[in-house]
């Protein structure tokens, strides 16, 4: 308490042109209880000393105008200036600078960078020692009394090295004291230390300047560090103060290690540091803080506005609000992410943390913190957010983003009278063919080009999104009526008229579009999207490259289709599938030469023909297990007939292009033939012209594999599609089945007869058998025979029937 009280009446004058040094020195000294005055140059300091009598002066060496040496000389010339301790702070570590400092009258010096944590202790010892010197000069008796009061050991030594007097300090004694007067320093000290001390004694006597050196001594078996200060105290005698600095050295080493660790952590963390003096409104910004913003050391001042002025206008208010909350004690610490302007004009995201230092009353007088550049993380977060709502390939909004927009539009529909939005669901026609034939890279390029064209069809506020694959969805807001929606769809269709260019080649692509309008009755946004999706499939079914408008009946039809799919998945297990057989007859003698296996579904609602459920089976993939059931059942039946002596008889089985594309289809056929024991030479597999258009290499290889086993390949419904002679020549076709549309009009239309005759001639020239389908009258059979058609099938001979009904006809063949 007494020590603190004495220090409160002690004034320290800090003279330095660096405001940061003055600020730090003030903080360190005020924490030790000293009163501090400041001057930023020598002239102001000398003017201040006309009225101020400080107890100690901290003086910088390098200053503009008068340097520290000149100021020190001027101080010593002032009245009473000789007794003021002057401690010079210098980064110059050459001997000449130190000699010049003492020559100018310096009491002591401190090397920069200054250890601010022990500055107060250093100052206290200097003031105490100088007080001792003053008393010594005034009175020998007072001097001796002081020797016993100060914490350090003291020796009065003559110029010849004789100990005139010695006193032990209050702390640990580093050298022998209490020795008899007249002992030599060489007797009481190690030789090397004695030589060093004598050297400094001679220097002190010659120059009158304080001599200081540090040394190591072993006391009670422990290595200690000491500091010996020698000053001329009279004619041919000196006073040497021996101070134990072991603890101070340990503290300095620990502090140095701590500072090194802090520096390494700060460097590793890549953070910029700031220290805000709330009393002076000055902020110390670290070098790293400045570098984070591309600033040099001299490009930024010490005001808080240097930071605040660079914060993005949209973030500044929140930053100030949270800082004030912390300073008022409403938060434990300050933390905020905000944008700060870089020197290049761009904004960098900074994570700023800080904490206030408070006095005993809880009032903040200082706040320190750090800046961390989190721009990379913010960019990654923004990219993740973008990827969550946008399609990576086209850059269009994705399903999640579209549904959000559609939800907002639906809410406006409910709130606003007469407000309607339209959803257009687009699916590209035959895109898979383009993708498979030209490659996925070309397909991706096409999707991007389509996205750009669709964007041109929208107005501000409308939305075009990609749902994946070849599906695009468009939202048009504030549509007046259905006619307006149709006009929009027509405009979208026009966007597909011009060819797309890829690698110098032209690609033509169309889209089927389903249109659905919102209404206040719709429960959810998903309802509108579902209706548009359903309607798009109707457009596909009606020929593609067109648009359809949603009608409530479509939803019922879609639900019915869903129920049908569920039933169809269970049809095999429930034993609901049936095979009916239609005879193929030789015209010449009316004999049955083969049968075609035709699938029927005995559903709970009634018997269903293939055209009612096969498209659904192909779309869902159910055609694979259903097709295997059909082939196995037909082969098993053919084998039973052969075992019963019915034959020779051929069995025709229809296969889908979806089955041909299936990698396991060929193995399935071989397995069934092996397990049923049927002769493959009596099997015909019927394919449609759409299979020819597929041009799939795997399909061709599978057909050739079947051909090598003796299985015959029939081309069904010939003439109804897009067959060409090149297909017939390149594919392993054994039989053509003339489409029933030609046979139906054969008798009434001469042109039809010529077409059929041409097909017969084509088959004869290519070595391919020809069968007429859909023969329903004797007249049709007669005309076919006249143009040399040898066989056919149709209701004229027999309708498709179950095996039990067919058996009597087959018995006739056997007999």
């Amino acid at each position: 308490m007494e020590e603190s009280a004495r220090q409160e009446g002690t004034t320290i004058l800090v003279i330095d042109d660096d405001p940061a040094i003055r600020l730090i020195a003030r903080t360190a000294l005020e924490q030790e209880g000293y009163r501090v005055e400041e001057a930023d140059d020598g002239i102001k300091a000398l003017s201040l000393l006309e009225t101020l009598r400080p107890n100690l002066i901290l003086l910088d060496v390098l200053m503009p105008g008068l340097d520290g040496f000149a100021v020190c000389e001027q101080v010593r010339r002032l009245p009473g200036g000789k007794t003021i301790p002057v401690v010079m702070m210098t980064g110059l570590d050459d001997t000449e600078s130190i000699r010049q400092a003492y020559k100018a009258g310096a009491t002591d010096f401190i090397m920069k960078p200054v250890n601010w944590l022990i500055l107060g202790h250093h100052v206290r010892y200097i003031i105490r020692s100088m007080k001792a010197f003053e008393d010594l000069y005034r009175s020998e008796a007072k001097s001796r009394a002081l020797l016993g009061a100060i914490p350090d050991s003291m020796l009065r030594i003559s110029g010849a090295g004789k100990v005139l007097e010695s006193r032990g300090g209050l702390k640990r004694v580093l050298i022998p004291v209490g020795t008899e007067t007249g002992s030599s320093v060489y007797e009481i000290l190690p030789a090397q230390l004695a030589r060093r001390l004598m050297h400094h004694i001679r220097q002190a006597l010659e120059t009158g300047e304080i001599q200081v050196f540090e040394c190591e001594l072993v006391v009670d078996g422990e290595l200690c560090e000491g500091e010996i200060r020698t000053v001329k105290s009279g004619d041919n005698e000196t006073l040497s103060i021996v101070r134990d600095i072991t603890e101070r050295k340990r503290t300095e080493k620990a502090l140095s290690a701590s500072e090194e660790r802090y520096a390494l952590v700060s460097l590793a963390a890549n953070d910029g540091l700031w220290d805000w003096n709330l009393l002076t409104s000055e902020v110390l910004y670290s070098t790293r803080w400045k570098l984070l913003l591309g600033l040099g050391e001299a490009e930024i001042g010490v005001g808080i506005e240097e930071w605040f002025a660079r914060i993005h206008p949209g973030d500044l208010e929140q930053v100030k609000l949270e800082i004030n909350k912390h300073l008022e004690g409403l938060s434990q610490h300050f933390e905020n992410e905000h944008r700060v302007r870089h020197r290049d004009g761009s904004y960098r995201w900074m994570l700023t943390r800080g904490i206030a230092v408070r006095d005993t009353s809880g009032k903040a007088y200082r706040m320190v913190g750090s800046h961390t550049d989190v721009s990379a993380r913010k960019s990654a977060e923004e990219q993740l957010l973008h990827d969550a709502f946008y399609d990576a390939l086209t850059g269009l909004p994705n399903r999640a983003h579209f549904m959000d927009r559609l939800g907002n539009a639906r809410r406006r529909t409910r709130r606003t009278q007469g407000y309607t939005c339209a959803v257009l669901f687009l699916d590209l026609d035959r895109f898979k063919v383009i993708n498979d034939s030209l490659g996925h890279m070309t397909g991706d390029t096409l999707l991007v080009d389509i996205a750009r064209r669709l964007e041109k069809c929208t107005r501000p506020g409308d939305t075009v999104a990609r749902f994946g694959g070849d599906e695009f969805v468009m939202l048009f807001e504030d549509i007046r009526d259905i006619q307006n929606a149709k006009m929009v769809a027509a405009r979208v269709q026009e966007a597909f008229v011009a060819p797309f260019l890829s690698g110098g080649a032209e690609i033509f692509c169309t889209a089927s579009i389903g249109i659905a309008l919102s209404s206040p009755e719709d429960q959810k946004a998903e309802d509108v999207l579902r209706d548009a999706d359903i309607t798009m499939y109707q457009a596909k079914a009606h020929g593609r490259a067109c648009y359809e408008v949603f009608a409530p009946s479509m939803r019922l039809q879609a639900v019915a289709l869903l129920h049908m799919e569920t039933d169809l998945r269970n049809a095999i297990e429930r034993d609901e599938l049936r095979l009916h057989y239609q005879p193929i007859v030789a015209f010449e003698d009316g004999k049955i030469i083969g049968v075609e296996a035709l699938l029927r579904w005995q559903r709970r609602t009634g018997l269903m023909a293939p055209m009612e459920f096969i498209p659904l089976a192909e779309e869902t993939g159910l055609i694979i297990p259903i097709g295997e059931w059909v082939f196995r059942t037909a082969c098993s039946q053919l084998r039973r007939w052969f075992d019963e002596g019915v034959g020779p008889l051929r069995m025709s089985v229809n296969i889908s292009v979806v089955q041909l594309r299936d990698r396991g289809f060929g193995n399935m056929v071989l397995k069934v033939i092996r397990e049923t024991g049927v002769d493959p030479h009596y099997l015909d597999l019927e394919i449609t012209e759409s299979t020819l258009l597929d041009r799939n290499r795997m399909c061709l290889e599978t057909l050739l594999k079947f051909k090598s086993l003796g299985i015959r390949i029939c081309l069904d419904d010939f003439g109804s599609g897009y067959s060409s002679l090149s297909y017939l020549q390149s594919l392993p076709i054994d039989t053509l089945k003339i489409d029933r549309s030609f046979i139906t009009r054969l008798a009434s239309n001469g042109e039809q007869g010529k077409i059929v005759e041409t097909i017969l001639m084509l088959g004869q020239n290519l070595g391919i058998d020809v069968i007429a389908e859909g023969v329903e009258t004797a007249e049709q059979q007669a005309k076919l025979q006249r143009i040399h058609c040898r066989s056919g099938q149709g209701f004229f001979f027999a309708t498709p029937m179950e095996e039990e009904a067919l058996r009597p006809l087959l018995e006739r063949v056997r007999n």
Side-chain angles (χ1 to χ4, degrees):
M1 290 291 291
E2 292 177 0
E3 176 93 356
S4 177
R6 285 197 299 271
Q7 291 172 187
E8 286 178 0
T10 304
T11 302
I12 311 297
L13 174 60
V14 180
I15 308 171
D16 200 305
D17 63 318
D18 188 335
I21 296 296
R22 296 201 308 275
L23 175 62
I24 297 173
R26 171 185 285 274
T27 302
L29 292 170
E30 285 181 345
Q31 287 179 347
E32 292 296 324
Y34 294 107
R35 188 167 66 88
V36 180
E37 297 291 336
E38 296 178 17
D40 58 3
D41 61 40
I43 295 175
K44 290 181 181 178
L46 293 173
S47 176
L48 192 60
L49 286 171
E50 292 179 0
T51 57
L52 178 67
R53 173 72 177 185
N55 297 90
L56 184 139
I57 297 174
L58 283 177
L59 176 60
D60 186 26
V61 172
L62 298 179
M63 295 187 297
L66 289 177
D67 61 15
F69 303 130
V71 173
C72 187
E73 290 177 351
Q74 293 292 331
V75 169
R76 293 305 184 208
R77 295 191 183 102
L78 293 174
K82 291 183 179 181
T83 60
I84 300 176
V86 178
V87 180
M88 303 195 75
M89 299 183 293
T90 178
L92 304 172
D93 58 354
D94 57 293
T95 305
E96 178 58 26
S97 297
I98 296 173
R99 189 195 65 77
Q100 189 177 355
Y102 284 123
K103 185 177 180 180
T107 306
D108 200 353
F109 66 94
I110 299 174
M111 297 298 297
K112 289 185 178 180
V114 178
N115 189 331
W116 302 108
L117 294 180
I118 64 173
L119 176 63
H121 301 291
H122 199 148
V123 168
R124 184 165 60 251
Y125 278 116
I126 292 174
I127 293 175
R128 184 181 294 167
S129 298
M130 292 308 298
K131 183 72 165 58
F133 285 174
E134 289 177 8
D135 292 345
L136 181 64
Y137 279 120
R138 293 193 187 98
S139 169
E140 181 71 17
K142 290 181 180 179
S143 179
R144 289 178 180 175
L146 181 61
L147 290 177
I150 64 175
D152 304 321
S153 301
M154 305 184 74
L155 297 171
R156 286 178 57 227
I157 305 172
S158 70
K162 297 297 181 180
V163 178
L164 304 177
E165 186 179 1
S166 65
R167 289 286 185 274
L170 299 177
K171 295 186 177 181
R172 175 170 51 183
V173 178
L174 298 184
I175 61 175
V177 296
T179 55
E180 294 183 3
T181 302
S183 298
S184 171
V185 293
Y186 291 98
E187 295 174 358
I188 66 173
L189 297 175
Q192 186 177 1
L193 178 56
R195 285 195 295 271
R196 290 185 67 189
L197 178 56
M198 286 306 301
H199 170 74
H200 285 85
I201 286 172
R202 287 190 291 269
Q203 288 293 109
L205 291 173
E206 290 176 7
T207 64
E209 298 173 356
I210 297 176
Q211 303 296 311
V212 183
F213 71 94
E214 295 179 0
C215 59
E216 291 184 346
L217 294 165
V218 177
V219 179
D220 298 331
E222 181 183 352
L223 182 64
C224 302
E225 296 188 64
E227 179 186 79
I228 301 179
R229 290 174 174 263
T230 302
V231 63
K232 183 178 179 181
S233 59
D235 293 337
N236 200 34
E237 70 174 52
T238 60
L239 179 65
S240 294
I241 302 174
V242 183
R243 178 179 299 166
D244 184 355
I245 61 171
T246 305
E247 286 301 319
R248 192 188 82 188
K249 284 293 184 180
R250 287 176 183 168
T251 302
E252 289 177 350
K253 289 178 181 178
L255 180 62
S256 177
S258 176
E259 289 177 341
E260 183 178 358
R261 286 194 300 271
Y262 176 77
L264 290 173
V265 170
S266 178
L267 183 63
N270 210 26
D271 290 348
L273 307 179
W274 50 272
D275 188 343
W276 184 9
N277 186 330
L278 299 172
L279 301 177
T280 63
S281 296
E282 292 184 339
V283 185
L284 293 178
Y285 301 102
S286 71
T287 301
R288 183 59 189 163
W289 192 98
K290 300 169 186 175
L291 288 176
L292 288 176
L293 300 179
L295 301 170
E297 284 290 342
E299 293 184 79
I300 189 169
V302 295
I304 191 65
E305 285 304 318
E306 295 285 359
W307 171 17
F308 285 174
R310 289 176 169 82
I311 297 177
H312 191 281
D315 301 336
L316 180 58
E317 184 177 352
Q318 187 64 28
V319 172
K320 289 183 175 180
L321 177 64
E322 293 187 18
I323 288 178
N324 289 333
K325 281 175 59 179
H326 178 58
L327 293 178
E328 292 170 6
L330 300 178
S331 61
Q332 292 185 344
H333 63 276
F334 163 70
E335 183 172 326
N336 181 268
E337 290 184 358
H338 55 274
R339 291 160 290 180
V340 184
R341 189 177 67 253
H342 192 272
R343 184 181 185 182
D344 61 13
S346 65
Y347 280 93
R348 307 296 171 88
W349 276 99
M350 294 291 174
L351 168 60
T352 303
R353 296 186 177 98
I355 190 165
V357 182
R358 304 179 187 276
D359 57 22
T360 55
S361 66
K363 183 178 180 181
Y365 64 87
R366 181 182 176 195
M367 187 172 179
V368 294
S370 64
H371 273 185
T372 305
D373 190 333
V374 294
S375 300
R377 174 172 64 79
K378 278 290 186 179
S379 178
E381 290 174 354
E382 290 173 0
Q383 186 63 46
L384 285 174
L385 186 62
H386 180 275
D387 293 346
F389 291 100
Y390 288 88
D391 175 55
L393 177 63
T394 62
L396 294 176
N398 60 11
R399 177 185 289 270
H401 195 173
F402 182 86
M403 295 308 297
D404 181 66
R405 294 275 185 88
L406 180 56
N408 292 335
R410 283 285 302 110
R411 284 186 283 274
R412 280 191 289 274
T413 300
R414 287 197 181 102
R415 290 195 306 264
T416 308
Q417 182 71 26
Y419 184 92
T420 305
C421 65
V423 173
L424 273 62
F425 203 115
L426 289 77
D427 187 89
L428 305 183
D429 300 324
R430 296 181 58 77
F431 178 75
K432 187 178 187 305
V433 176
I434 296 172
N435 227 12
D436 292 344
S437 58
L438 299 180
H440 289 279
M441 186 172 294
T442 300
D444 288 348
T445 302
L446 177 60
L447 290 173
V448 172
D449 291 343
I450 289 172
R452 301 292 82 81
R453 289 195 187 183
L454 292 179
E455 284 178 323
K456 294 179 180 178
C457 297
T458 60
R459 306 159 300 176
D462 296 335
T463 305
V464 55
R466 178 178 177 237
F467 276 17
D470 58 352
E471 292 182 341
F472 294 86
V473 186
M474 306 178 75
L475 171 63
F476 292 90
E477 301 199 36
D478 199 14
I479 294 293
R480 292 189 300 275
D481 51 34
I482 192 63
Q483 293 302 320
N484 192 205
K486 288 181 178 180
M487 291 173 59
V488 170
R491 187 168 72 246
V492 172
Q493 290 281 13
E494 290 175 4
F496 288 86
V497 172
F500 297 88
L501 299 178
S502 178
E506 291 186 344
I507 301 175
F508 288 89
C509 184
T510 59
S512 299
I513 304 175
I515 306 172
L517 269 64
S518 66
S519 67
E521 291 75 29
D522 291 324
Q523 297 298 315
K524 297 178 294 186
E526 288 80 357
D527 295 341
V528 186
L529 183 64
R530 176 203 59 204
D531 293 345
D533 191 10
I534 291 172
T535 311
M536 180 272 294
Y537 282 104
Q538 290 291 323
K540 286 275 189 188
H542 291 167
R544 301 176 178 175
C546 62
Y547 62 81
E548 291 287 338
V549 179
F550 174 76
S553 59
M554 295 180 182
R555 188 182 300 165
L556 297 175
Q557 185 177 354
V559 173
L561 203 61
L562 181 62
H563 291 161
M564 180 187 291
E565 179 185 345
T566 303
D567 290 346
L568 188 57
R569 290 184 182 278
N570 299 315
I572 297 178
E573 293 181 6
R574 293 174 178 170
D575 193 26
E576 294 178 347
L577 298 181
R578 303 285 184 269
L579 279 188
H580 288 192
Y581 302 94
Q582 186 175 38
I584 300 173
V585 178
F587 289 161
E588 184 177 359
D589 55 12
K591 287 185 177 181
I592 299 175
I593 59 176
V595 295
E596 179 180 357
L598 299 169
L599 179 63
R600 300 291 186 268
W601 179 15
Q602 187 61 58
R603 196 181 179 194
R604 288 169 293 180
T605 56
L607 190 65
M608 298 183 67
M611 66 183 66
E612 298 180 72
F613 63 88
I614 288 298
L616 177 62
E618 289 180 329
E619 181 182 344
T620 59
L622 290 173
I623 193 65
I624 302 301
I626 291 174
E628 181 177 351
W629 181 90
V630 170
F631 188 68
R632 182 178 293 277
T633 303
C635 288
S636 298
Q637 184 62 63
L638 182 62
R639 178 58 193 261
R640 282 196 297 271
W641 284 338
F642 274 33
D643 290 344
E644 294 171 1
V646 177
L649 193 67
R650 305 196 65 80
M651 175 69 77
S652 293
V653 180
N654 292 279
I655 60 174
S656 164
V657 66
V658 177
Q659 291 175 271
L660 273 178
R661 292 184 191 140
D662 181 47
R663 294 184 180 278
F665 180 66
N667 292 332
M668 183 275 292
V669 169
L670 296 178
K671 180 182 178 183
V672 170
I673 290 174
R674 184 172 60 253
E675 291 176 354
T676 59
V678 72
D679 186 347
H681 291 84
Y682 289 96
L683 289 175
D684 292 350
L685 295 182
E686 296 191 14
I687 61 176
T688 61
E689 291 186 350
S690 61
T691 306
L692 300 180
L693 292 175
D694 190 64
R695 304 289 289 185
N696 188 293
R697 184 174 183 83
M698 188 176 70
C699 293
L700 176 59
E701 291 175 353
T702 302
L703 293 176
L704 291 172
K705 184 177 182 180
F706 293 159
K707 179 86 171 178
S708 68
L709 294 174
I711 299 175
R712 292 168 61 88
I713 308 300
C714 299
L715 185 59
D716 197 14
D717 300 331
F718 183 75
S720 63
Y722 305 94
S723 299
S724 69
L725 293 178
S726 63
Y727 289 160
L728 296 178
Q729 288 177 319
S730 61
L731 292 175
I733 304 299
D734 298 291
T735 303
L736 297 178
K737 300 186 80 171
I738 304 174
D739 186 69
R740 66 179 65 250
S741 62
F742 295 108
I743 307 303
T744 301
R745 298 189 295 271
L746 185 63
S748 60
N749 190 327
E751 293 296 327
Q752 296 293 329
K754 292 179 182 179
I755 293 175
V756 172
E757 189 172 359
T758 301
I759 294 173
L760 290 167
M761 292 177 60
L762 176 64
Q764 184 178 359
N765 292 334
L766 294 177
I768 297 175
D769 293 337
V770 180
I771 297 175
E773 287 187 301
V775 180
E776 297 182 353
T777 64
E779 183 182 2
Q780 291 171 348
Q781 179 189 2
K783 186 143 189 176
L784 287 168
Q785 282 186 278
R786 283 197 298 273
I787 55 178
H788 308 295
C789 180
R790 297 189 180 91
S791 57
Q793 67 185 98
F795 288 177
F796 178 67
F797 304 109
T799 60
M801 60 189 75
E802 294 189 71
E803 190 270 339
E804 292 81 359
L806 180 64
R807 183 170 291 276
L809 297 179
L810 296 180
E811 289 289 339
R812 225 178 300 160
V813 173
R814 184 174 62 180
N815 297 327

